[in-house]
Structures are given as C-alpha cells and as structure tokens.
Coordinates of all heavy atoms in Angstrom, one line a residue:
M60 N 104.4 108.6 97.2 CA 103.9 109.0 98.5 C 104.7 108.4 99.6 O 105.9 108.1 99.4 CB 102.4 108.6 98.6 CG 101.5 109.1 97.4 SD 101.4 110.9 97.3 CE 100.0 111.2 98.4
T61 N 104.1 108.1 100.7 CA 104.9 107.6 101.8 C 104.1 106.7 102.7 O 102.9 106.6 102.6 CB 105.5 108.8 102.6 OG1 106.4 108.3 103.6 CG2 104.4 109.6 103.3
A62 N 104.8 106.0 103.6 CA 104.1 105.1 104.6 C 103.4 106.0 105.6 O 103.9 106.9 106.1 CB 105.1 104.2 105.3
K63 N 102.1 105.8 105.7 CA 101.3 106.6 106.6 C 100.9 105.8 107.9 O 100.7 106.3 108.9 CB 100.0 107.1 106.0 CG 100.2 108.1 104.9 CD 100.4 109.5 105.6 CE 100.5 110.6 104.5 NZ 101.4 111.6 104.8
N64 N 100.7 104.5 107.7 CA 100.2 103.6 108.7 C 101.2 102.5 109.0 O 101.9 102.0 108.1 CB 98.9 102.9 108.4 CG 97.8 104.0 108.3 OD1 97.9 105.1 108.7 ND2 96.7 103.5 107.7
F65 N 101.2 102.1 110.3 CA 101.9 100.8 110.7 C 100.9 99.7 110.7 O 99.7 99.9 111.2 CB 102.6 101.0 112.0 CG 104.0 101.6 112.0 CD1 104.5 102.2 113.1 CD2 104.8 101.5 110.9 CE1 105.8 102.7 113.1 CE2 106.0 102.1 110.8 CZ 106.5 102.7 112.0
I66 N 101.3 98.5 110.3 CA 100.4 97.4 110.5 C 100.9 96.7 111.8 O 102.0 96.2 111.9 CB 100.6 96.4 109.3 CG1 100.2 97.1 108.0 CG2 99.7 95.2 109.5 CD1 100.6 96.4 106.7
C67 N 99.9 96.6 112.7 CA 100.2 96.0 114.0 C 100.3 94.5 113.9 O 99.8 93.9 112.9 CB 99.2 96.4 115.0 SG 99.0 98.2 115.2
P68 N 100.9 93.8 114.9 CA 100.9 92.3 114.8 C 99.5 91.6 114.7 O 99.4 90.5 114.1 CB 101.6 91.9 116.1 CG 102.4 93.1 116.5 CD 101.6 94.3 116.0
N69 N 98.5 92.3 115.1 CA 97.1 91.7 115.0 C 96.5 92.0 113.7 O 95.3 91.7 113.4 CB 96.2 92.2 116.1 CG 95.9 93.7 116.1 OD1 96.4 94.4 115.2 ND2 95.2 94.2 117.1
G70 N 97.2 92.7 112.8 CA 96.7 93.0 111.4 C 96.0 94.3 111.3 O 95.7 94.8 110.2
E71 N 95.7 94.9 112.4 CA 95.0 96.3 112.4 C 96.1 97.3 111.9 O 97.3 97.1 112.1 CB 94.4 96.6 113.7 CG 93.4 95.7 114.2 CD 92.1 95.8 113.3 OE1 91.7 96.9 112.9 OE2 91.5 94.7 113.1
Q72 N 95.6 98.4 111.4 CA 96.4 99.5 111.1 C 96.2 100.7 112.0 O 95.1 101.0 112.3 CB 96.2 100.0 109.6 CG 96.6 98.9 108.6 CD 96.4 99.5 107.2 OE1 96.4 100.7 106.9 NE2 96.3 98.6 106.2
V73 N 97.3 101.4 112.3 CA 97.2 102.7 113.0 C 98.1 103.7 112.3 O 99.1 103.2 111.6 CB 97.7 102.5 114.5 CG1 96.8 101.6 115.3 CG2 99.2 102.1 114.6
T74 N 97.8 104.9 112.4 CA 98.7 105.9 111.8 C 100.1 105.8 112.5 O 100.1 105.5 113.7 CB 98.2 107.3 111.8 OG1 98.1 107.8 113.2 CG2 96.8 107.4 111.2
I75 N 101.1 106.2 111.8 CA 102.4 106.2 112.5 C 102.5 107.2 113.6 O 103.1 106.9 114.7 CB 103.5 106.4 111.4 CG1 103.6 105.3 110.4 CG2 104.9 106.7 112.1 CD1 104.5 105.4 109.3
E76 N 101.8 108.3 113.4 CA 101.7 109.3 114.5 C 101.0 108.7 115.7 O 101.5 109.0 116.9 CB 101.0 110.6 114.0 CG 101.8 111.4 113.1 CD 102.1 110.8 111.7 OE1 101.2 110.0 111.3 OE2 103.1 111.1 111.1
Q77 N 99.9 108.0 115.6 CA 99.2 107.4 116.7 C 100.2 106.4 117.4 O 100.2 106.4 118.6 CB 98.0 106.6 116.2 CG 96.8 107.5 115.9 CD 95.7 106.6 115.4 OE1 95.9 105.8 114.5 NE2 94.5 106.8 116.0
C78 N 100.9 105.6 116.6 CA 101.8 104.6 117.2 C 102.8 105.3 118.0 O 103.1 104.9 119.2 CB 102.3 103.8 116.1 SG 103.6 102.7 116.6
L79 N 103.5 106.4 117.5 CA 104.6 107.0 118.2 C 104.1 107.8 119.4 O 104.9 108.0 120.3 CB 105.3 107.9 117.2 CG 106.0 107.3 116.0 CD1 106.7 108.3 115.1 CD2 107.0 106.2 116.5
A80 N 102.8 108.2 119.4 CA 102.3 108.9 120.5 C 102.1 107.9 121.7 O 101.9 108.4 122.9 CB 101.0 109.6 120.2
G81 N 102.0 106.7 121.4 CA 101.8 105.7 122.5 C 101.0 104.5 121.9 O 100.0 104.8 121.2
C82 N 101.4 103.3 122.1 CA 100.8 102.2 121.5 C 99.3 102.2 121.8 O 98.9 102.3 123.0 CB 101.5 100.9 122.0 SG 100.6 99.4 121.3
V83 N 98.5 102.0 120.8 CA 97.0 102.0 121.0 C 96.6 100.8 121.8 O 95.5 100.7 122.3 CB 96.2 102.2 119.7 CG1 96.6 103.5 119.0 CG2 96.5 101.0 118.8
Y84 N 97.4 99.8 121.9 CA 97.1 98.6 122.5 C 97.7 98.5 124.0 O 97.6 97.5 124.7 CB 97.5 97.3 121.7 CG 96.8 97.3 120.4 CD1 97.5 97.7 119.2 CD2 95.4 97.0 120.3 CE1 96.8 97.7 118.0 CE2 94.8 97.1 119.1 CZ 95.5 97.4 118.0 OH 94.8 97.5 116.8
G85 N 98.5 99.6 124.3 CA 99.0 99.6 125.6 C 100.3 98.9 125.8 O 100.9 98.9 126.9
H86 N 100.7 98.1 124.8 CA 102.0 97.4 125.0 C 102.7 97.3 123.6 O 102.3 96.6 122.7 CB 101.7 96.0 125.5 CG 103.0 95.2 125.8 ND1 103.7 95.4 126.9 CD2 103.6 94.2 125.1 CE1 104.8 94.6 126.8 NE2 104.7 93.9 125.8
A87 N 103.7 98.2 123.4 CA 104.3 98.3 122.1 C 104.9 97.0 121.7 O 105.5 96.2 122.5 CB 105.4 99.4 122.2
C88 N 104.8 96.7 120.4 CA 105.3 95.5 119.8 C 106.8 95.6 119.6 O 107.5 94.6 119.5 CB 104.6 95.1 118.5 SG 104.8 96.4 117.2
I89 N 107.3 96.8 119.6 CA 108.8 97.1 119.4 C 109.1 98.2 120.3 O 108.3 99.1 120.6 CB 109.1 97.5 117.9 CG1 108.6 96.4 116.9 CG2 110.6 97.8 117.7 CD1 108.8 96.8 115.5
A90 N 110.3 98.2 120.9 CA 110.8 99.3 121.8 C 110.6 100.6 121.1 O 110.8 100.8 119.9 CB 112.2 99.0 122.2
R91 N 110.1 101.6 121.9 CA 109.8 102.9 121.4 C 110.9 103.6 120.6 O 110.7 104.1 119.5 CB 109.3 103.8 122.5 CG 108.9 105.2 122.0 CD 108.1 105.9 123.1 NE 106.9 105.2 123.4 CZ 105.8 105.1 122.6 NH1 105.8 105.7 121.5 NH2 104.8 104.3 123.0
P92 N 112.2 103.6 121.1 CA 113.3 104.2 120.3 C 113.4 103.5 119.0 O 113.7 104.2 118.0 CB 114.5 104.0 121.2 CG 114.0 103.8 122.6 CD 112.7 103.1 122.4
T93 N 113.2 102.2 118.9 CA 113.3 101.5 117.6 C 112.2 101.9 116.7 O 112.4 102.2 115.5 CB 113.3 100.0 117.8 OG1 114.3 99.7 118.8 CG2 113.5 99.3 116.5
L94 N 111.0 102.1 117.3 CA 109.8 102.6 116.4 C 110.1 103.9 115.8 O 109.8 104.2 114.7 CB 108.6 102.6 117.3 CG 107.9 101.3 117.5 CD1 106.8 101.4 118.6 CD2 107.3 100.7 116.3
Y95 N 110.7 104.8 116.6 CA 111.0 106.2 116.1 C 112.0 106.0 115.0 O 111.9 106.7 113.9 CB 111.6 107.0 117.2 CG 110.6 107.7 118.0 CD1 110.2 107.3 119.3 CD2 110.0 108.9 117.5 CE1 109.2 107.9 120.0 CE2 109.0 109.5 118.3 CZ 108.6 109.0 119.5 OH 107.7 109.7 120.3
S96 N 113.0 105.2 115.1 CA 114.0 105.0 114.1 C 113.4 104.4 112.8 O 113.7 104.9 111.7 CB 115.2 104.1 114.6 OG 116.1 103.9 113.6
L97 N 112.6 103.4 113.0 CA 111.9 102.8 111.8 C 111.0 103.8 111.1 O 110.9 103.8 109.9 CB 111.1 101.5 112.3 CG 111.9 100.4 113.0 CD1 111.0 99.3 113.5 CD2 113.0 99.9 112.0
A98 N 110.3 104.6 111.9 CA 109.4 105.6 111.3 C 110.2 106.6 110.5 O 109.7 107.0 109.4 CB 108.5 106.2 112.4
A99 N 111.3 107.0 111.0 CA 112.1 108.0 110.3 C 112.6 107.4 109.0 O 112.7 108.2 108.0 CB 113.3 108.4 111.2
G100 N 112.9 106.1 109.0 CA 113.4 105.5 107.7 C 112.3 105.3 106.7 O 112.7 105.1 105.5
C101 N 111.0 105.4 107.0 CA 110.0 105.1 106.0 C 109.3 106.4 105.6 O 108.3 106.3 104.8 CB 109.1 104.0 106.4 SG 108.0 104.4 107.8
R102 N 109.7 107.5 106.2 CA 109.1 108.8 105.7 C 109.7 109.2 104.4 O 110.7 108.7 104.0 CB 109.3 109.8 106.8 CG 108.5 109.6 108.1 CD 108.3 110.8 108.9 NE 107.4 110.5 110.0 CZ 107.8 110.5 111.2 NH1 109.0 110.8 111.6 NH2 106.9 110.3 112.2
D103 N 109.0 110.2 103.8 CA 109.5 110.7 102.5 C 110.8 111.4 102.7 O 110.9 112.4 103.5 CB 108.4 111.7 102.0 CG 108.8 112.2 100.6 OD1 109.9 111.8 100.1 OD2 108.1 113.1 100.1
R104 N 111.9 110.9 102.1 CA 113.2 111.4 102.3 C 113.6 112.5 101.3 O 114.7 112.9 101.2 CB 114.2 110.3 102.4 CG 114.1 109.4 103.5 CD 115.1 108.3 103.6 NE 114.9 107.3 102.5 CZ 115.9 106.5 102.1 NH1 117.0 106.5 102.7 NH2 115.6 105.7 101.1
K105 N 112.6 112.8 100.5 CA 112.8 113.9 99.5 C 114.0 113.6 98.6 O 114.8 114.5 98.3 CB 112.9 115.2 100.1 CG 111.9 115.6 101.1 CD 110.6 116.1 100.5 CE 109.7 116.6 101.6 NZ 108.3 116.1 101.5
L106 N 114.2 112.3 98.3 CA 115.3 111.9 97.4 C 115.1 112.5 96.0 O 114.0 112.4 95.5 CB 115.5 110.4 97.4 CG 115.8 109.8 98.7 CD1 115.9 108.2 98.5 CD2 117.1 110.3 99.3
D107 N 116.2 112.9 95.4 CA 116.1 113.4 94.0 C 116.5 112.4 93.0 O 116.7 112.7 91.8 CB 116.8 114.7 93.8 CG 118.3 114.6 94.1 OD1 118.7 113.6 94.6 OD2 119.0 115.6 93.9
R108 N 116.8 111.2 93.5 CA 117.2 110.1 92.6 C 116.7 108.8 93.3 O 116.2 108.8 94.4 CB 118.7 110.1 92.4 CG 119.4 110.0 93.7 CD 120.9 110.2 93.5 NE 121.5 110.3 94.8 CZ 122.6 110.9 95.1 NH1 123.3 111.5 94.1 NH2 123.1 111.0 96.3
F109 N 116.9 107.7 92.6 CA 116.4 106.4 93.1 C 117.3 105.9 94.2 O 118.5 106.2 94.3 CB 116.5 105.3 92.0 CG 115.4 105.5 90.9 CD1 115.8 106.0 89.7 CD2 114.1 105.3 91.2 CE1 114.9 106.2 88.7 CE2 113.2 105.5 90.2 CZ 113.5 105.9 88.9
S110 N 116.6 105.3 95.2 CA 117.4 104.7 96.3 C 117.8 103.3 95.8 O 117.2 102.7 94.9 CB 116.6 104.6 97.6 OG 115.6 103.7 97.4
V111 N 118.8 102.7 96.5 CA 119.2 101.3 96.2 C 118.0 100.4 96.3 O 117.8 99.5 95.5 CB 120.4 100.9 97.1 CG1 120.7 99.4 96.9 CG2 121.6 101.7 96.9
T112 N 117.2 100.6 97.4 CA 116.0 99.7 97.6 C 115.1 99.8 96.4 O 114.5 98.8 96.0 CB 115.3 100.1 98.9 OG1 116.3 100.1 99.9 CG2 114.2 99.1 99.2
E113 N 114.9 101.0 95.9 CA 114.0 101.2 94.7 C 114.5 100.5 93.5 O 113.8 99.9 92.7 CB 113.7 102.6 94.4 CG 112.8 103.3 95.4 CD 112.7 104.8 95.2 OE1 113.7 105.4 94.9 OE2 111.6 105.3 95.3
L114 N 115.8 100.4 93.4 CA 116.4 99.8 92.2 C 116.2 98.3 92.2 O 116.2 97.6 91.2 CB 117.9 100.1 92.1 CG 118.3 101.6 91.9 CD1 119.8 101.8 91.9 CD2 117.7 102.0 90.5
I115 N 116.1 97.7 93.4 CA 115.9 96.2 93.4 C 114.4 95.8 93.6 O 114.1 94.7 93.6 CB 116.7 95.6 94.6 CG1 116.3 96.1 95.9 CG2 118.2 95.7 94.3 CD1 117.0 95.4 97.1
R116 N 113.6 96.8 93.7 CA 112.1 96.6 93.8 C 111.5 96.5 92.4 O 112.0 97.1 91.5 CB 111.5 97.8 94.6 CG 110.1 97.6 95.0 CD 109.6 98.8 95.8 NE 110.1 98.9 97.1 CZ 110.5 100.0 97.7 NH1 110.4 101.1 97.1 NH2 110.9 99.9 99.0
G117 N 110.4 95.8 92.3 CA 109.7 95.7 91.1 C 109.2 97.1 90.6 O 108.9 97.9 91.4
A118 N 109.2 97.3 89.3 CA 108.8 98.6 88.7 C 107.3 99.0 89.1 O 107.0 100.1 89.5 CB 108.9 98.6 87.2
R119 N 106.4 98.0 89.1 CA 105.0 98.2 89.4 C 104.9 98.6 90.9 O 104.2 99.6 91.2 CB 104.2 97.0 89.1 CG 102.7 97.2 89.5 CD 101.9 96.1 89.2 NE 101.6 96.1 87.7 CZ 100.6 95.4 87.2 NH1 99.9 94.6 87.9 NH2 100.4 95.4 85.9
E120 N 105.6 97.9 91.8 CA 105.6 98.2 93.2 C 106.1 99.6 93.5 O 105.5 100.4 94.2 CB 106.4 97.2 94.0 CG 106.3 97.3 95.5 CD 107.1 96.3 96.3 OE1 107.7 95.5 95.6 OE2 107.0 96.4 97.5
S121 N 107.2 100.0 92.8 CA 107.8 101.3 93.0 C 106.8 102.4 92.5 O 106.6 103.4 93.2 CB 109.1 101.4 92.3 OG 110.1 100.7 92.9
Y122 N 106.2 102.1 91.4 CA 105.2 103.1 90.9 C 104.1 103.3 91.8 O 103.7 104.4 92.1 CB 104.8 102.6 89.5 CG 103.6 103.5 88.9 CD1 103.9 104.7 88.5 CD2 102.3 103.0 88.9 CE1 102.8 105.5 88.0 CE2 101.3 103.8 88.4 CZ 101.6 105.0 88.0 OH 100.5 105.8 87.5
L123 N 103.5 102.2 92.3 CA 102.3 102.2 93.2 C 102.7 102.9 94.5 O 101.9 103.7 95.0 CB 101.8 100.8 93.5 CG 101.1 100.2 92.2 CD1 100.7 98.8 92.6 CD2 99.8 101.0 91.9
M124 N 103.9 102.7 95.0 CA 104.3 103.4 96.2 C 104.6 104.9 96.0 O 104.5 105.7 96.9 CB 105.6 102.7 96.7 CG 105.4 101.3 97.3 SD 106.8 100.4 97.8 CE 107.1 101.1 99.4
K125 N 104.9 105.3 94.7 CA 105.1 106.7 94.4 C 103.7 107.4 94.4 O 103.7 108.6 94.7 CB 105.8 106.8 93.1 CG 107.2 106.4 93.1 CD 108.1 107.5 93.6 CE 109.6 107.2 93.5 NZ 110.4 107.8 94.5
I126 N 102.7 106.7 94.0 CA 101.4 107.5 93.8 C 100.4 107.2 94.9 O 99.4 107.9 94.9 CB 100.8 107.1 92.4 CG1 100.4 105.6 92.4 CG2 101.7 107.5 91.3 CD1 99.5 105.3 91.2
N127 N 100.7 106.3 95.8 CA 99.8 106.1 96.9 C 100.5 106.1 98.3 O 101.6 105.7 98.4 CB 99.2 104.6 96.8 CG 98.4 104.5 95.6 OD1 97.3 105.1 95.4 ND2 98.8 103.6 94.6
D128 N 99.7 106.5 99.3 CA 100.1 106.3 100.7 C 99.9 104.8 101.0 O 99.1 104.2 100.4 CB 99.3 107.2 101.7 CG 99.7 108.6 101.5 OD1 100.8 109.0 101.2 OD2 98.8 109.4 101.8
Y129 N 100.7 104.3 101.9 CA 100.6 102.8 102.2 C 100.9 102.5 103.6 O 101.3 103.4 104.4 CB 101.5 102.0 101.2 CG 102.9 102.5 101.3 CD1 103.8 101.9 102.2 CD2 103.4 103.5 100.4 CE1 105.2 102.3 102.2 CE2 104.7 103.9 100.5 CZ 105.6 103.3 101.3 OH 106.9 103.8 101.4
A130 N 100.6 101.3 104.0 CA 100.8 100.8 105.4 C 102.0 99.8 105.3 O 102.2 99.1 104.3 CB 99.6 100.1 105.9
I131 N 102.7 99.7 106.4 CA 103.8 98.8 106.4 C 104.0 98.2 107.8 O 103.7 98.9 108.8 CB 105.1 99.6 106.0 CG1 106.2 98.6 105.7 CG2 105.5 100.6 107.0 CD1 107.4 99.2 104.8
D132 N 104.4 97.0 107.8 CA 104.7 96.3 109.1 C 106.0 96.8 109.6 O 107.0 96.7 108.9 CB 104.8 94.8 108.8 CG 105.1 94.0 110.1 OD1 105.5 94.6 111.1 OD2 105.1 92.7 110.0
P133 N 106.0 97.4 110.8 CA 107.3 98.0 111.3 C 108.4 96.9 111.4 O 109.6 97.2 111.2 CB 107.0 98.6 112.6 CG 105.7 98.0 113.0 CD 105.0 97.7 111.8
M134 N 108.1 95.7 111.6 CA 109.1 94.6 111.7 C 109.8 94.4 110.4 O 111.0 94.0 110.3 CB 108.5 93.3 112.2 CG 108.1 93.3 113.6 SD 109.5 93.5 114.7 CE 110.1 91.8 114.9
S135 N 109.1 94.7 109.3 CA 109.7 94.5 108.0 C 110.7 95.6 107.7 O 111.4 95.5 106.7 CB 108.6 94.5 106.9 OG 108.1 95.8 106.7
L136 N 110.7 96.6 108.5 CA 111.7 97.8 108.3 C 113.0 97.6 109.0 O 113.9 98.3 108.8 CB 111.0 99.1 108.7 CG 109.8 99.5 108.0 CD1 109.1 100.7 108.7 CD2 110.1 99.9 106.6
V137 N 113.0 96.6 109.9 CA 114.2 96.4 110.7 C 115.5 96.2 109.9 O 116.5 96.9 110.1 CB 114.0 95.2 111.7 CG1 115.3 94.9 112.5 CG2 112.9 95.6 112.7
F138 N 115.5 95.3 108.9 CA 116.7 95.1 108.2 C 117.1 96.2 107.3 O 118.2 96.5 107.1 CB 116.6 93.7 107.4 CG 116.7 92.6 108.3 CD1 115.6 91.8 108.6 CD2 117.9 92.2 108.9 CE1 115.7 90.7 109.5 CE2 118.0 91.1 109.8 CZ 116.9 90.4 110.0
S139 N 116.1 96.9 106.7 CA 116.4 98.1 105.9 C 117.0 99.2 106.7 O 118.0 99.9 106.3 CB 115.2 98.5 105.1 OG 114.2 99.0 105.9
T140 N 116.5 99.4 107.9 CA 117.1 100.4 108.8 C 118.5 100.0 109.2 O 119.4 100.8 109.2 CB 116.2 100.6 110.0 OG1 114.9 100.9 109.6 CG2 116.7 101.7 111.0
F141 N 118.7 98.7 109.5 CA 120.0 98.2 109.8 C 121.0 98.4 108.6 O 122.1 98.9 108.8 CB 120.0 96.7 110.2 CG 121.3 96.1 110.5 CD1 122.0 96.4 111.6 CD2 121.9 95.2 109.6 CE1 123.2 95.8 111.9 CE2 123.1 94.6 109.8 CZ 123.8 95.0 111.0
G142 N 120.5 98.1 107.4 CA 121.3 98.3 106.2 C 121.7 99.8 106.0 O 122.8 100.1 105.6
T143 N 120.7 100.7 106.3 CA 121.0 102.1 106.1 C 122.2 102.5 107.1 O 123.1 103.3 106.7 CB 119.8 102.9 106.4 OG1 118.8 102.6 105.5 CG2 120.0 104.4 106.3
A144 N 122.1 102.0 108.3 CA 123.1 102.3 109.3 C 124.5 101.7 108.9 O 125.5 102.4 109.1 CB 122.7 101.7 110.7
V145 N 124.5 100.5 108.3 CA 125.7 100.0 107.9 C 126.3 100.8 106.7 O 127.5 101.1 106.7 CB 125.5 98.5 107.5 CG1 126.7 97.9 106.7 CG2 125.2 97.6 108.7
H146 N 125.5 101.2 105.8 CA 125.9 102.0 104.7 C 126.5 103.3 105.2 O 127.6 103.8 104.7 CB 124.8 102.3 103.7 CG 124.4 101.1 102.9 ND1 123.2 101.0 102.3 CD2 125.0 100.0 102.7 CE1 123.1 99.9 101.6 NE2 124.2 99.2 101.9
K147 N 125.9 103.9 106.2 CA 126.4 105.2 106.7 C 127.8 104.9 107.4 O 128.7 105.7 107.2 CB 125.4 105.7 107.8 CG 125.8 107.1 108.3 CD 125.7 108.1 107.2 CE 126.0 109.5 107.7 NZ 126.0 110.5 106.6
A148 N 127.9 103.8 108.1 CA 129.2 103.5 108.8 C 130.3 103.3 107.7 O 131.4 103.7 107.9 CB 129.1 102.3 109.6
Q149 N 129.9 102.6 106.6 CA 130.9 102.4 105.5 C 131.3 103.7 104.9 O 132.5 104.0 104.6 CB 130.3 101.5 104.5 CG 130.2 100.1 105.0 CD 129.4 99.2 104.0 OE1 128.6 99.6 103.3 NE2 129.7 97.9 104.1
E150 N 130.3 104.6 104.7 CA 130.7 106.0 104.1 C 131.7 106.7 105.0 O 132.6 107.3 104.5 CB 129.4 106.8 103.9 CG 128.5 106.4 102.8 CD 127.2 107.3 102.8 OE1 127.2 108.4 103.3 OE2 126.2 106.7 102.3
L151 N 131.4 106.7 106.3 CA 132.3 107.4 107.2 C 133.6 106.8 107.2 O 134.7 107.5 107.3 CB 131.6 107.4 108.6 CG 130.4 108.2 108.8 CD1 129.7 108.0 110.2 CD2 130.6 109.7 108.5
A152 N 133.7 105.4 107.2 CA 135.0 104.7 107.2 C 135.8 105.1 105.9 O 137.0 105.3 105.9 CB 134.8 103.2 107.3
A153 N 135.0 105.1 104.8 CA 135.7 105.5 103.5 C 136.2 106.9 103.5 O 137.3 107.2 103.0 CB 134.7 105.3 102.3
L154 N 135.5 107.8 104.1 CA 135.9 109.2 104.2 C 137.2 109.3 105.1 O 138.1 110.1 104.8 CB 134.8 110.1 104.8 CG 133.7 110.4 103.8 CD1 132.5 111.1 104.5 CD2 134.1 111.2 102.6
K155 N 137.2 108.6 106.2 CA 138.3 108.6 107.1 C 139.6 108.1 106.4 O 140.7 108.5 106.7 CB 138.1 107.7 108.3 CG 137.6 108.4 109.5 CD 137.5 107.5 110.6 CE 137.4 108.2 112.0 NZ 137.2 107.2 113.1
A156 N 139.4 107.1 105.5 CA 140.5 106.4 104.8 C 141.2 107.3 103.8 O 142.3 107.1 103.3 CB 140.1 105.1 104.2
Q157 N 140.4 108.4 103.4 CA 141.0 109.2 102.3 C 142.1 110.2 102.8 O 142.1 110.6 103.9 CB 139.9 110.1 101.7 CG 138.9 109.2 100.9 CD 137.8 110.1 100.3 OE1 137.6 111.2 100.6 NE2 137.0 109.4 99.4
Ligands
SF4_337 S1 103.6 99.7 119.0 FE1 103.1 98.0 117.5 S2 101.2 97.2 118.3 FE2 101.4 99.3 119.2 S3 100.4 100.7 117.8 FE3 102.6 100.6 117.2 S4 102.7 99.1 115.6 FE4 100.7 98.8 116.6

C-alpha cells in the first residue's frame, strides 16, 4: 500500500491531503514546497520491481508496508528524497558521458 498520513511533530496524524491543503495547526513544520516533494516521494510509484530502499529494508517491514497503509514522519523522508535527487543527477551525468 502507501503512506496515507503524515505524523506531525506533536505525534498526531493527518492525512497527507489535509497537510498539503494547509497545515491543520496553522504553522507548517516544513516549508510547503518541501512537503509537496516529500509527499510525491512516498506515494505509490507503481514500481514493477524492488526499489533500492526496499532491498535494504527488513523483509517483514517491506511485507507489512505492501499490505497496509501507513503513517510516516515527513522529516524522516528528507534524506530519501535527497538520495533520489542525487541518483537522478548521477543518471543524467552518466547519460551525458556516453
Ligand atoms: S505541516 Fe507538519 S505539522 Fe502541519 S499538518 Fe503537515 S505534517 Fe502536520
């Protein structure tokens, strides 16, 4: 399945759609453009094979994430989103070098 909720700094959960429509607390914990980017990275990407992250994740955790919707702290997505951007830059550099 996919991430449906963000876990706010106070521990409460809100749907990602609610968060992106406007922070329910009136003061976003992360800049809105960053929230959009983080949300895009945790949606179902319809991958037809394992992602690198899934390969380094425990089998039980991967299985549970496949069969359940779940909540995630947006701050915990920052480095994976950064990693995705770095991988994309490397791919583009490799293509240019060919
Ligand atoms: S911006 Fe942060 S605090 Fe506000 S709803 Fe979204 S996750 Fe929660």
